[in-house]
Amino acid sequence: MSLRRRQNSKETLLVTEDKNDSHHEKTDIRGDRGNILLLLFLYILQGIPLGLIAAVPMLLQNRGASYKQQAEFSFAYWPFSLKLLWAPIVDAVYVKRFGRRKSWLVPCQYLIGAFMLFLSWQVDRWLGGDGVEPNVPLLTALFFLLNFLAATQDIAVDGWALTMLKRVNVGYASTCNSVGQTAGYFLGYVAFIALESKEFCNTYLRTVPKDEGMVTLPEFLWFWAWCFLVATTLVAIFKKENIAKHKDDGSRYTEEHELNIYESYKILIDMVRMRPVQILAGILLTVKVTFAACDAVTSLKLIDAGVPKEKLALLVVPIIPLQIVLPLVVSRYTNGPRPMDVYVKAIPYRIVFASIASMIAYFTPHMIAGGEVPIYYYVLLVVNYGIYQIFLYCMFVAVMAFFAKISDPAVGGTYMTFLNTLSNLGGNWANTVILWLVDVLTWKECANVDDSLADKNHCLTKKQTQECTAAGGECKIVFDGYYIESIVCIIYGIVWLLCVRKWINYLQSLPNKAWLVVKTNKAATSKKS
C-alpha cells in the first residue's frame, strides 16, 4: 500500500488500499474528526507559502521587473515538481522515538516560520521599486527554499495521513489535501493581493480612504510565521503518531509497506528505461509549450496594460466552485479504457481560448482607455478564463486517469508520483523559457528624441533605457515579443497535435503488462501489499 503526493491544483494523491480489508467498508469518522481537522489545517498551512510565491510576480511586475527577471523567479515554483527526488529519503530516514512523519514535519514547519520571519524584515527592500532595482536572484533563492520546505512538509503530511486516519477513512486524506491546499493558496494569494491593495481596501473595506492597503507583505509574512511556529509547537507536544496500541484492532495502518531508499531509486531508474514511459515522458514534457505564453505571460501583460493586480487575483474566486465540480463531472468520461481520448479532444478548444486570451491582452489598452476598467471587460475575462479552465481540467483529469490505469500496483504511489513529476516539469520549464524570451523577442525604440540617438538606442538594456529617459525620450514597444510567442505556441500546438496523436493512441492500445516495472514475483508482491 502506498500514499504519495499531490500538488495544488495540479497533482493527485493515490491511496492503494488492501481490497480485502477496506475497499468495501463504509467510512466512519467517529474518532477521526480531530484527525481530519488536523490534516485539513496542515494542508492549509502548506498552501500559504504557495500562494505567496504566486503573489510575488504580481508585486515585481508593478515595481518594474523585466520578463527575464520574472523567468528567473519562476524557478521558485520548481520544488513541488521535483520532490520525487528526495521523497524516498523523507520516507526512509526518521527518528523512531519522535515519530516517522513528525521527524520531518516539525523541523520543516519551524524552518518555514523562521524563513517567513526573516523575509518579513527585508523583503520590501529586495522587491525594489521607487527607482531601486529588485534583488531577484536573492528573492528566487529564498522563495525556492521556502517552497522546498513546503514540498517536504507535503511529503510528510501525505505519509502521516496513512496512519493518522482509520483504514476506512484514508480516502478523506485526498479531500483534506485538495480543500486545504486550495484554501491556503487562496489566503496567500488572493486574500493577500486584495488586502495589500489600497484601491481595493478603499473601495470595499474602508469608509475613510487611506494611502495604503490594510496589510503589507512584511506584516502578512510576520503573522503567518507565528502561526507556523505556534501550530508546530502544539503538534510536536500534543499530537502523537499511531503506534502499537492500534495494532490489535486492525482499524488503522500501523506498518507502512514502503520501499527503502535503494529500492525507490532503483524503481525510478527501471521506469526511465521502459520504452512506453520514455514515449509518455516525451509527450508530457512537450505538450504544455502550446499553452505556456497564455499561462505564464498573459496576466503580467494585463497588469502592464493597467488592469489592477487585485482585480485579476479576485477573478479566480468565481472559478473556485467550477474547479471543485469539474473533476467530478469530467471523471465520468475518463473512467473507460481510453481516457486520453478526452485529453486529445480538449487540446484544440484550449488552443482556441488561449488565442482569445492573447487577443484580449492585445485590445486591453483600447478597452480600458482613460484608466477606468469597464464591467464588461471583467465579464469577458471571467468567461474566457472559466471556459479555458474547463478544457484545462478535462486534460488534467484525463491524464490522471491514464496514470492510474497504467501504474504498476506493486509500486503505485512511486509510479504515480514519477508521472506527476514529468507532467509538472513539462509546464515549469516551458513557462520559464517563455518568460525569458519575452524581452528577447520584444523590439523597442527610443521615441521623442533626435534621430541620431534613436538610431543608436533601442532600449535593449537598463542602461540604454536610462539614457533614453535622461535625454527626454521614452522607450516605446514597436512589437511585443509576447504576441510572437503566442502565434508560435499556437502553430506549435497544432503541429504537435497532428504529430503526437498517433503516439497517444499507441500508448492507449498497449496492454497493462507493458507498463509493469516489477515483472518478477508479481504475485508475491500483490499478496504482500
Side-chain angles (χ1 to χ4, degrees), residues 1-6 11-17 158 162 170-171 173-174 177 258 400-401 403-417 420:
M1 171 192 324
S2 299
L3 184 66
R4 282 295 188 276
R5 338 293 166 228
R6 177 190 179 275
E11 288 183 28
T12 296
L13 182 68
L14 176 69
V15 181
T16 306
E17 301 186 50
D158 284 353
L162 189 66
V170 167
S174 60
N177 191 318
E258 298 283 352
M400 290 300 109
F403 290 170
K405 176 178 176 289
I406 65 176
S407 293
D408 187 339
V411 287
T414 300
Y415 212 125
M416 282 286 287
T417 307
N420 277 320

PDB file of all heavy atoms in Angstrom, residues 1-6 11-17 158 162 170-171 173-174 177 258 400-401 403-417 420:
ATOM      1  N   MET A   1       0.840  -1.172   0.000  1.00  0.00           N
ATOM      2  CA  MET A   1       0.000   0.000   0.000  1.00  0.00           C
ATOM      3  C   MET A   1       0.882   1.230   0.000  1.00  0.00           C
ATOM      4  O   MET A   1       1.878   1.273   0.651  1.00  0.00           O
ATOM      5  CB  MET A   1      -0.835  -0.007   1.269  1.00  0.00           C
ATOM      6  CG  MET A   1      -1.583   1.257   1.475  1.00  0.00           C
ATOM      7  SD  MET A   1      -2.230   1.315   3.102  1.00  0.00           S
ATOM      8  CE  MET A   1      -2.629  -0.338   3.370  1.00  0.00           C
ATOM      9  N   SER A   2       0.470   2.270  -0.740  1.00  0.00           N
ATOM     10  CA  SER A   2       1.298   3.473  -0.846  1.00  0.00           C
ATOM     11  C   SER A   2       0.434   4.711  -0.785  1.00  0.00           C
ATOM     12  O   SER A   2      -0.682   4.719  -1.259  1.00  0.00           O
ATOM     13  CB  SER A   2       2.084   3.482  -2.161  1.00  0.00           C
ATOM     14  OG  SER A   2       2.945   2.369  -2.217  1.00  0.00           O
ATOM     15  N   LEU A   3       0.997   5.751  -0.210  1.00  0.00           N
ATOM     16  CA  LEU A   3       0.335   7.057  -0.209  1.00  0.00           C
ATOM     17  C   LEU A   3       1.347   8.067  -0.672  1.00  0.00           C
ATOM     18  O   LEU A   3       2.412   8.157  -0.120  1.00  0.00           O
ATOM     19  CB  LEU A   3      -0.127   7.400   1.202  1.00  0.00           C
ATOM     20  CG  LEU A   3      -0.910   8.693   1.341  1.00  0.00           C
ATOM     21  CD1 LEU A   3      -2.224   8.584   0.620  1.00  0.00           C
ATOM     22  CD2 LEU A   3      -1.128   9.020   2.788  1.00  0.00           C
ATOM     23  N   ARG A   4       1.036   8.834  -1.722  1.00  0.00           N
ATOM     24  CA  ARG A   4       2.026   9.772  -2.254  1.00  0.00           C
ATOM     25  C   ARG A   4       1.412  11.131  -2.499  1.00  0.00           C
ATOM     26  O   ARG A   4       0.266  11.403  -2.145  1.00  0.00           O
ATOM     27  CB  ARG A   4       2.631   9.213  -3.522  1.00  0.00           C
ATOM     28  CG  ARG A   4       3.690   8.114  -3.250  1.00  0.00           C
ATOM     29  CD  ARG A   4       4.893   8.686  -2.529  1.00  0.00           C
ATOM     30  NE  ARG A   4       5.950   7.718  -2.445  1.00  0.00           N
ATOM     31  CZ  ARG A   4       6.031   6.793  -1.512  1.00  0.00           C
ATOM     32  NH1 ARG A   4       5.109   6.706  -0.580  1.00  0.00           N
ATOM     33  NH2 ARG A   4       7.033   5.942  -1.501  1.00  0.00           N
ATOM     34  N   ARG A   5       2.184  11.965  -3.141  1.00  0.00           N
ATOM     35  CA  ARG A   5       1.993  13.404  -3.140  1.00  0.00           C
ATOM     36  C   ARG A   5       0.998  13.944  -4.151  1.00  0.00           C
ATOM     37  O   ARG A   5       0.761  13.377  -5.174  1.00  0.00           O
ATOM     38  CB  ARG A   5       3.324  14.097  -3.387  1.00  0.00           C
ATOM     39  CG  ARG A   5       4.549  13.279  -3.061  1.00  0.00           C
ATOM     40  CD  ARG A   5       4.718  12.982  -1.618  1.00  0.00           C
ATOM     41  NE  ARG A   5       5.698  11.940  -1.462  1.00  0.00           N
ATOM     42  CZ  ARG A   5       5.507  10.902  -0.703  1.00  0.00           C
ATOM     43  NH1 ARG A   5       4.403  10.752  -0.062  1.00  0.00           N
ATOM     44  NH2 ARG A   5       6.447  10.003  -0.596  1.00  0.00           N
ATOM     45  N   ARG A   6       0.486  15.170  -3.811  1.00  0.00           N
ATOM     46  CA  ARG A   6      -0.379  15.886  -4.739  1.00  0.00           C
ATOM     47  C   ARG A   6       0.003  17.342  -4.721  1.00  0.00           C
ATOM     48  O   ARG A   6       0.200  17.905  -3.660  1.00  0.00           O
ATOM     49  CB  ARG A   6      -1.824  15.741  -4.299  1.00  0.00           C
ATOM     50  CG  ARG A   6      -2.782  16.527  -5.183  1.00  0.00           C
ATOM     51  CD  ARG A   6      -4.155  16.549  -4.550  1.00  0.00           C
ATOM     52  NE  ARG A   6      -5.066  17.303  -5.361  1.00  0.00           N
ATOM     53  CZ  ARG A   6      -5.212  18.610  -5.297  1.00  0.00           C
ATOM     54  NH1 ARG A   6      -4.479  19.325  -4.494  1.00  0.00           N
ATOM     55  NH2 ARG A   6      -6.094  19.216  -6.066  1.00  0.00           N
ATOM     56  N   GLU A  11      -1.636  17.924  -8.875  1.00  0.00           N
ATOM     57  CA  GLU A  11      -1.171  16.553  -8.706  1.00  0.00           C
ATOM     58  C   GLU A  11      -2.285  15.729  -8.076  1.00  0.00           C
ATOM     59  O   GLU A  11      -3.305  16.246  -7.671  1.00  0.00           O
ATOM     60  CB  GLU A  11       0.073  16.501  -7.801  1.00  0.00           C
ATOM     61  CG  GLU A  11       1.318  17.037  -8.449  1.00  0.00           C
ATOM     62  CD  GLU A  11       2.516  16.904  -7.542  1.00  0.00           C
ATOM     63  OE1 GLU A  11       2.530  15.994  -6.703  1.00  0.00           O
ATOM     64  OE2 GLU A  11       3.427  17.712  -7.681  1.00  0.00           O
ATOM     65  N   THR A  12      -2.090  14.435  -7.934  1.00  0.00           N
ATOM     66  CA  THR A  12      -3.115  13.553  -7.398  1.00  0.00           C
ATOM     67  C   THR A  12      -2.553  12.718  -6.261  1.00  0.00           C
ATOM     68  O   THR A  12      -1.452  12.231  -6.344  1.00  0.00           O
ATOM     69  CB  THR A  12      -3.657  12.621  -8.481  1.00  0.00           C
ATOM     70  OG1 THR A  12      -4.303  13.408  -9.462  1.00  0.00           O
ATOM     71  CG2 THR A  12      -4.657  11.625  -7.923  1.00  0.00           C
ATOM     72  N   LEU A  13      -3.364  12.555  -5.214  1.00  0.00           N
ATOM     73  CA  LEU A  13      -2.993  11.688  -4.105  1.00  0.00           C
ATOM     74  C   LEU A  13      -3.562  10.315  -4.382  1.00  0.00           C
ATOM     75  O   LEU A  13      -4.763  10.170  -4.558  1.00  0.00           O
ATOM     76  CB  LEU A  13      -3.586  12.259  -2.812  1.00  0.00           C
ATOM     77  CG  LEU A  13      -3.263  11.508  -1.528  1.00  0.00           C
ATOM     78  CD1 LEU A  13      -1.799  11.638  -1.203  1.00  0.00           C
ATOM     79  CD2 LEU A  13      -4.101  12.061  -0.403  1.00  0.00           C
ATOM     80  N   LEU A  14      -2.705   9.314  -4.439  1.00  0.00           N
ATOM     81  CA  LEU A  14      -3.158   7.961  -4.749  1.00  0.00           C
ATOM     82  C   LEU A  14      -3.065   7.124  -3.488  1.00  0.00           C
ATOM     83  O   LEU A  14      -2.021   7.014  -2.879  1.00  0.00           O
ATOM     84  CB  LEU A  14      -2.284   7.340  -5.834  1.00  0.00           C
ATOM     85  CG  LEU A  14      -2.623   5.885  -6.166  1.00  0.00           C
ATOM     86  CD1 LEU A  14      -3.963   5.813  -6.859  1.00  0.00           C
ATOM     87  CD2 LEU A  14      -1.536   5.256  -7.000  1.00  0.00           C
ATOM     88  N   VAL A  15      -4.161   6.525  -3.103  1.00  0.00           N
ATOM     89  CA  VAL A  15      -4.173   5.621  -1.965  1.00  0.00           C
ATOM     90  C   VAL A  15      -4.565   4.255  -2.470  1.00  0.00           C
ATOM     91  O   VAL A  15      -5.702   4.049  -2.884  1.00  0.00           O
ATOM     92  CB  VAL A  15      -5.171   6.083  -0.875  1.00  0.00           C
ATOM     93  CG1 VAL A  15      -5.144   5.144   0.295  1.00  0.00           C
ATOM     94  CG2 VAL A  15      -4.860   7.490  -0.441  1.00  0.00           C
ATOM     95  N   THR A  16      -3.635   3.310  -2.450  1.00  0.00           N
ATOM     96  CA  THR A  16      -3.924   1.964  -2.894  1.00  0.00           C
ATOM     97  C   THR A  16      -4.168   1.113  -1.665  1.00  0.00           C
ATOM     98  O   THR A  16      -3.254   0.873  -0.894  1.00  0.00           O
ATOM     99  CB  THR A  16      -2.732   1.397  -3.685  1.00  0.00           C
ATOM    100  OG1 THR A  16      -2.417   2.310  -4.716  1.00  0.00           O
ATOM    101  CG2 THR A  16      -3.052   0.032  -4.263  1.00  0.00           C
ATOM    102  N   GLU A  17      -5.390   0.672  -1.473  1.00  0.00           N
ATOM    103  CA  GLU A  17      -5.767   0.002  -0.242  1.00  0.00           C
ATOM    104  C   GLU A  17      -5.888  -1.499  -0.446  1.00  0.00           C
ATOM    105  O   GLU A  17      -6.093  -1.999  -1.541  1.00  0.00           O
ATOM    106  CB  GLU A  17      -7.101   0.559   0.268  1.00  0.00           C
ATOM    107  CG  GLU A  17      -7.037   2.048   0.534  1.00  0.00           C
ATOM    108  CD  GLU A  17      -8.307   2.545   1.165  1.00  0.00           C
ATOM    109  OE1 GLU A  17      -8.745   1.940   2.148  1.00  0.00           O
ATOM    110  OE2 GLU A  17      -8.865   3.508   0.672  1.00  0.00           O
ATOM    111  N   ASP A 158       1.355  13.813   3.711  1.00  0.00           N
ATOM    112  CA  ASP A 158       0.726  12.753   2.917  1.00  0.00           C
ATOM    113  C   ASP A 158       0.983  11.379   3.534  1.00  0.00           C
ATOM    114  O   ASP A 158       0.092  10.528   3.593  1.00  0.00           O
ATOM    115  CB  ASP A 158       1.280  12.768   1.490  1.00  0.00           C
ATOM    116  CG  ASP A 158       0.701  13.892   0.650  1.00  0.00           C
ATOM    117  OD1 ASP A 158      -0.228  14.568   1.125  1.00  0.00           O
ATOM    118  OD2 ASP A 158       1.192  14.104  -0.473  1.00  0.00           O
ATOM    119  N   LEU A 162      -1.783   8.371   6.282  1.00  0.00           N
ATOM    120  CA  LEU A 162      -1.995   6.939   6.161  1.00  0.00           C
ATOM    121  C   LEU A 162      -2.180   6.269   7.514  1.00  0.00           C
ATOM    122  O   LEU A 162      -3.003   5.365   7.667  1.00  0.00           O
ATOM    123  CB  LEU A 162      -0.802   6.314   5.431  1.00  0.00           C
ATOM    124  CG  LEU A 162      -0.915   4.852   5.022  1.00  0.00           C
ATOM    125  CD1 LEU A 162      -1.991   4.668   3.980  1.00  0.00           C
ATOM    126  CD2 LEU A 162       0.419   4.354   4.502  1.00  0.00           C
ATOM    127  N   VAL A 170      -9.162   6.657   5.053  1.00  0.00           N
ATOM    128  CA  VAL A 170      -7.959   7.162   4.387  1.00  0.00           C
ATOM    129  C   VAL A 170      -8.318   7.986   3.156  1.00  0.00           C
ATOM    130  O   VAL A 170      -7.601   8.917   2.784  1.00  0.00           O
ATOM    131  CB  VAL A 170      -7.022   5.985   4.014  1.00  0.00           C
ATOM    132  CG1 VAL A 170      -5.927   6.426   3.065  1.00  0.00           C
ATOM    133  CG2 VAL A 170      -6.402   5.400   5.270  1.00  0.00           C
ATOM    134  N   GLY A 171      -9.448   7.690   2.512  1.00  0.00           N
ATOM    135  CA  GLY A 171      -9.872   8.462   1.344  1.00  0.00           C
ATOM    136  C   GLY A 171     -10.089   9.934   1.639  1.00  0.00           C
ATOM    137  O   GLY A 171     -10.005  10.774   0.737  1.00  0.00           O
ATOM    138  N   ALA A 173      -8.113  11.778   3.119  1.00  0.00           N
ATOM    139  CA  ALA A 173      -6.835  12.482   3.030  1.00  0.00           C
ATOM    140  C   ALA A 173      -6.746  13.321   1.759  1.00  0.00           C
ATOM    141  O   ALA A 173      -6.268  14.459   1.779  1.00  0.00           O
ATOM    142  CB  ALA A 173      -5.683  11.476   3.078  1.00  0.00           C
ATOM    143  N   SER A 174      -7.208  12.746   0.629  1.00  0.00           N
ATOM    144  CA  SER A 174      -7.139  13.494  -0.623  1.00  0.00           C
ATOM    145  C   SER A 174      -8.070  14.703  -0.594  1.00  0.00           C
ATOM    146  O   SER A 174      -7.763  15.752  -1.166  1.00  0.00           O
ATOM    147  CB  SER A 174      -7.490  12.586  -1.807  1.00  0.00           C
ATOM    148  OG  SER A 174      -8.798  12.072  -1.675  1.00  0.00           O
ATOM    149  N   ASN A 177      -6.363  17.318   1.417  1.00  0.00           N
ATOM    150  CA  ASN A 177      -5.279  17.862   0.600  1.00  0.00           C
ATOM    151  C   ASN A 177      -5.809  18.893  -0.377  1.00  0.00           C
ATOM    152  O   ASN A 177      -5.318  20.025  -0.450  1.00  0.00           O
ATOM    153  CB  ASN A 177      -4.599  16.707  -0.148  1.00  0.00           C
ATOM    154  CG  ASN A 177      -3.306  17.117  -0.822  1.00  0.00           C
ATOM    155  OD1 ASN A 177      -3.209  18.180  -1.411  1.00  0.00           O
ATOM    156  ND2 ASN A 177      -2.316  16.254  -0.741  1.00  0.00           N
ATOM    157  N   GLU A 258       6.579   0.490   2.716  1.00  0.00           N
ATOM    158  CA  GLU A 258       7.250   1.416   1.818  1.00  0.00           C
ATOM    159  C   GLU A 258       8.568   0.824   1.333  1.00  0.00           C
ATOM    160  O   GLU A 258       9.181  -0.001   2.006  1.00  0.00           O
ATOM    161  CB  GLU A 258       7.525   2.745   2.528  1.00  0.00           C
ATOM    162  CG  GLU A 258       6.278   3.477   2.992  1.00  0.00           C
ATOM    163  CD  GLU A 258       5.555   4.174   1.861  1.00  0.00           C
ATOM    164  OE1 GLU A 258       6.109   4.214   0.743  1.00  0.00           O
ATOM    165  OE2 GLU A 258       4.451   4.665   2.094  1.00  0.00           O
ATOM    166  N   MET A 400      -4.604  12.133 -15.446  1.00  0.00           N
ATOM    167  CA  MET A 400      -4.540  11.463 -14.151  1.00  0.00           C
ATOM    168  C   MET A 400      -5.195  10.083 -14.203  1.00  0.00           C
ATOM    169  O   MET A 400      -4.714   9.119 -13.599  1.00  0.00           O
ATOM    170  CB  MET A 400      -5.230  12.313 -13.072  1.00  0.00           C
ATOM    171  CG  MET A 400      -4.512  13.582 -12.699  1.00  0.00           C
ATOM    172  SD  MET A 400      -2.845  13.314 -12.037  1.00  0.00           S
ATOM    173  CE  MET A 400      -1.860  13.934 -13.371  1.00  0.00           C
ATOM    174  N   ALA A 401      -6.315   9.983 -14.915  1.00  0.00           N
ATOM    175  CA  ALA A 401      -6.986   8.692 -15.082  1.00  0.00           C
ATOM    176  C   ALA A 401      -6.091   7.715 -15.842  1.00  0.00           C
ATOM    177  O   ALA A 401      -6.033   6.518 -15.523  1.00  0.00           O
ATOM    178  CB  ALA A 401      -8.311   8.877 -15.814  1.00  0.00           C
ATOM    179  N   PHE A 403      -2.785   7.825 -15.891  1.00  0.00           N
ATOM    180  CA  PHE A 403      -1.716   7.449 -14.962  1.00  0.00           C
ATOM    181  C   PHE A 403      -2.176   6.322 -14.036  1.00  0.00           C
ATOM    182  O   PHE A 403      -1.446   5.363 -13.792  1.00  0.00           O
ATOM    183  CB  PHE A 403      -1.283   8.648 -14.110  1.00  0.00           C
ATOM    184  CG  PHE A 403      -0.547   9.720 -14.858  1.00  0.00           C
ATOM    185  CD1 PHE A 403      -0.282  10.948 -14.261  1.00  0.00           C
ATOM    186  CD2 PHE A 403      -0.114   9.522 -16.151  1.00  0.00           C
ATOM    187  CE1 PHE A 403       0.404  11.936 -14.931  1.00  0.00           C
ATOM    188  CE2 PHE A 403       0.573  10.516 -16.848  1.00  0.00           C
ATOM    189  CZ  PHE A 403       0.826  11.724 -16.230  1.00  0.00           C
ATOM    190  N   ALA A 404      -3.396   6.470 -13.493  1.00  0.00           N
ATOM    191  CA  ALA A 404      -3.927   5.455 -12.580  1.00  0.00           C
ATOM    192  C   ALA A 404      -4.114   4.114 -13.291  1.00  0.00           C
ATOM    193  O   ALA A 404      -3.909   3.052 -12.710  1.00  0.00           O
ATOM    194  CB  ALA A 404      -5.253   5.929 -11.988  1.00  0.00           C
ATOM    195  N   LYS A 405      -4.487   4.175 -14.570  1.00  0.00           N
ATOM    196  CA  LYS A 405      -4.730   2.961 -15.347  1.00  0.00           C
ATOM    197  C   LYS A 405      -3.441   2.188 -15.631  1.00  0.00           C
ATOM    198  O   LYS A 405      -3.420   0.958 -15.577  1.00  0.00           O
ATOM    199  CB  LYS A 405      -5.417   3.333 -16.667  1.00  0.00           C
ATOM    200  CG  LYS A 405      -5.649   2.175 -17.634  1.00  0.00           C
ATOM    201  CD  LYS A 405      -6.370   2.668 -18.871  1.00  0.00           C
ATOM    202  CE  LYS A 405      -6.535   1.560 -19.910  1.00  0.00           C
ATOM    203  NZ  LYS A 405      -5.258   1.194 -20.550  1.00  0.00           N
ATOM    204  N   ILE A 406      -2.350   2.892 -15.906  1.00  0.00           N
ATOM    205  CA  ILE A 406      -1.118   2.231 -16.337  1.00  0.00           C
ATOM    206  C   ILE A 406      -0.147   1.964 -15.199  1.00  0.00           C
ATOM    207  O   ILE A 406       0.789   1.182 -15.366  1.00  0.00           O
ATOM    208  CB  ILE A 406      -0.393   3.058 -17.425  1.00  0.00           C
ATOM    209  CG1 ILE A 406       0.084   4.396 -16.863  1.00  0.00           C
ATOM    210  CG2 ILE A 406      -1.292   3.251 -18.631  1.00  0.00           C
ATOM    211  CD1 ILE A 406       0.895   5.230 -17.839  1.00  0.00           C
ATOM    212  N   SER A 407      -0.341   2.594 -14.037  1.00  0.00           N
ATOM    213  CA  SER A 407       0.623   2.448 -12.950  1.00  0.00           C
ATOM    214  C   SER A 407       0.665   1.023 -12.435  1.00  0.00           C
ATOM    215  O   SER A 407      -0.377   0.404 -12.209  1.00  0.00           O
ATOM    216  CB  SER A 407       0.277   3.408 -11.805  1.00  0.00           C
ATOM    217  OG  SER A 407       0.464   4.744 -12.197  1.00  0.00           O
ATOM    218  N   ASP A 408       1.870   0.524 -12.226  1.00  0.00           N
ATOM    219  CA  ASP A 408       2.073  -0.808 -11.667  1.00  0.00           C
ATOM    220  C   ASP A 408       1.602  -0.799 -10.215  1.00  0.00           C
ATOM    221  O   ASP A 408       2.148  -0.059  -9.387  1.00  0.00           O
ATOM    222  CB  ASP A 408       3.562  -1.164 -11.740  1.00  0.00           C
ATOM    223  CG  ASP A 408       3.849  -2.605 -11.342  1.00  0.00           C
ATOM    224  OD1 ASP A 408       3.014  -3.213 -10.654  1.00  0.00           O
ATOM    225  OD2 ASP A 408       4.920  -3.121 -11.727  1.00  0.00           O
ATOM    226  N   PRO A 409       0.572  -1.590  -9.855  1.00  0.00           N
ATOM    227  CA  PRO A 409       0.045  -1.547  -8.483  1.00  0.00           C
ATOM    228  C   PRO A 409       1.065  -1.949  -7.427  1.00  0.00           C
ATOM    229  O   PRO A 409       0.911  -1.596  -6.263  1.00  0.00           O
ATOM    230  CB  PRO A 409      -1.136  -2.529  -8.530  1.00  0.00           C
ATOM    231  CG  PRO A 409      -0.887  -3.392  -9.713  1.00  0.00           C
ATOM    232  CD  PRO A 409      -0.162  -2.544 -10.706  1.00  0.00           C
ATOM    233  N   ALA A 410       2.115  -2.688  -7.830  1.00  0.00           N
ATOM    234  CA  ALA A 410       3.129  -3.084  -6.853  1.00  0.00           C
ATOM    235  C   ALA A 410       3.890  -1.888  -6.312  1.00  0.00           C
ATOM    236  O   ALA A 410       4.383  -1.912  -5.183  1.00  0.00           O
ATOM    237  CB  ALA A 410       4.103  -4.076  -7.496  1.00  0.00           C
ATOM    238  N   VAL A 411       3.999  -0.827  -7.116  1.00  0.00           N
ATOM    239  CA  VAL A 411       4.684   0.402  -6.697  1.00  0.00           C
ATOM    240  C   VAL A 411       3.847   1.597  -7.145  1.00  0.00           C
ATOM    241  O   VAL A 411       4.360   2.561  -7.704  1.00  0.00           O
ATOM    242  CB  VAL A 411       6.116   0.487  -7.280  1.00  0.00           C
ATOM    243  CG1 VAL A 411       7.045  -0.479  -6.574  1.00  0.00           C
ATOM    244  CG2 VAL A 411       6.116   0.208  -8.781  1.00  0.00           C
ATOM    245  N   GLY A 412       2.535   1.527  -6.887  1.00  0.00           N
ATOM    246  CA  GLY A 412       1.602   2.515  -7.429  1.00  0.00           C
ATOM    247  C   GLY A 412       1.895   3.938  -7.033  1.00  0.00           C
ATOM    248  O   GLY A 412       1.851   4.843  -7.869  1.00  0.00           O
ATOM    249  N   GLY A 413       2.236   4.182  -5.748  1.00  0.00           N
ATOM    250  CA  GLY A 413       2.497   5.545  -5.310  1.00  0.00           C
ATOM    251  C   GLY A 413       3.712   6.141  -5.985  1.00  0.00           C
ATOM    252  O   GLY A 413       3.683   7.270  -6.469  1.00  0.00           O
ATOM    253  N   THR A 414       4.803   5.381  -6.029  1.00  0.00           N
ATOM    254  CA  THR A 414       6.026   5.860  -6.677  1.00  0.00           C
ATOM    255  C   THR A 414       5.799   6.103  -8.161  1.00  0.00           C
ATOM    256  O   THR A 414       6.265   7.100  -8.736  1.00  0.00           O
ATOM    257  CB  THR A 414       7.161   4.838  -6.480  1.00  0.00           C
ATOM    258  OG1 THR A 414       7.395   4.668  -5.075  1.00  0.00           O
ATOM    259  CG2 THR A 414       8.445   5.298  -7.146  1.00  0.00           C
ATOM    260  N   TYR A 415       5.075   5.183  -8.801  1.00  0.00           N
ATOM    261  CA  TYR A 415       4.804   5.294 -10.240  1.00  0.00           C
ATOM    262  C   TYR A 415       4.001   6.557 -10.542  1.00  0.00           C
ATOM    263  O   TYR A 415       4.341   7.342 -11.442  1.00  0.00           O
ATOM    264  CB  TYR A 415       4.017   4.056 -10.687  1.00  0.00           C
ATOM    265  CG  TYR A 415       4.285   3.596 -12.097  1.00  0.00           C
ATOM    266  CD1 TYR A 415       4.685   2.291 -12.354  1.00  0.00           C
ATOM    267  CD2 TYR A 415       4.108   4.434 -13.189  1.00  0.00           C
ATOM    268  CE1 TYR A 415       4.920   1.838 -13.645  1.00  0.00           C
ATOM    269  CE2 TYR A 415       4.340   3.999 -14.485  1.00  0.00           C
ATOM    270  CZ  TYR A 415       4.745   2.699 -14.708  1.00  0.00           C
ATOM    271  OH  TYR A 415       4.969   2.270 -15.979  1.00  0.00           O
ATOM    272  N   MET A 416       2.928   6.782  -9.770  1.00  0.00           N
ATOM    273  CA  MET A 416       2.073   7.951  -9.985  1.00  0.00           C
ATOM    274  C   MET A 416       2.842   9.251  -9.738  1.00  0.00           C
ATOM    275  O   MET A 416       2.724  10.216 -10.493  1.00  0.00           O
ATOM    276  CB  MET A 416       0.859   7.893  -9.058  1.00  0.00           C
ATOM    277  CG  MET A 416      -0.234   6.943  -9.495  1.00  0.00           C
ATOM    278  SD  MET A 416      -1.185   7.574 -10.897  1.00  0.00           S
ATOM    279  CE  MET A 416      -2.132   8.863 -10.115  1.00  0.00           C
ATOM    280  N   THR A 417       3.648   9.273  -8.677  1.00  0.00           N
ATOM    281  CA  THR A 417       4.405  10.476  -8.362  1.00  0.00           C
ATOM    282  C   THR A 417       5.428  10.779  -9.451  1.00  0.00           C
ATOM    283  O   THR A 417       5.649  11.941  -9.802  1.00  0.00           O
ATOM    284  CB  THR A 417       5.114  10.318  -7.001  1.00  0.00           C
ATOM    285  OG1 THR A 417       4.151   9.940  -6.013  1.00  0.00           O
ATOM    286  CG2 THR A 417       5.774  11.611  -6.574  1.00  0.00           C
ATOM    287  N   ASN A 420       3.501  12.248 -12.358  1.00  0.00           N
ATOM    288  CA  ASN A 420       3.100  13.616 -11.994  1.00  0.00           C
ATOM    289  C   ASN A 420       4.275  14.580 -12.088  1.00  0.00           C
ATOM    290  O   ASN A 420       4.130  15.727 -12.509  1.00  0.00           O
ATOM    291  CB  ASN A 420       2.533  13.645 -10.573  1.00  0.00           C
ATOM    292  CG  ASN A 420       1.070  13.253 -10.524  1.00  0.00           C
ATOM    293  OD1 ASN A 420       0.295  13.643 -11.381  1.00  0.00           O
ATOM    294  ND2 ASN A 420       0.708  12.472  -9.526  1.00  0.00           N
TER     295      ASN A 420
END
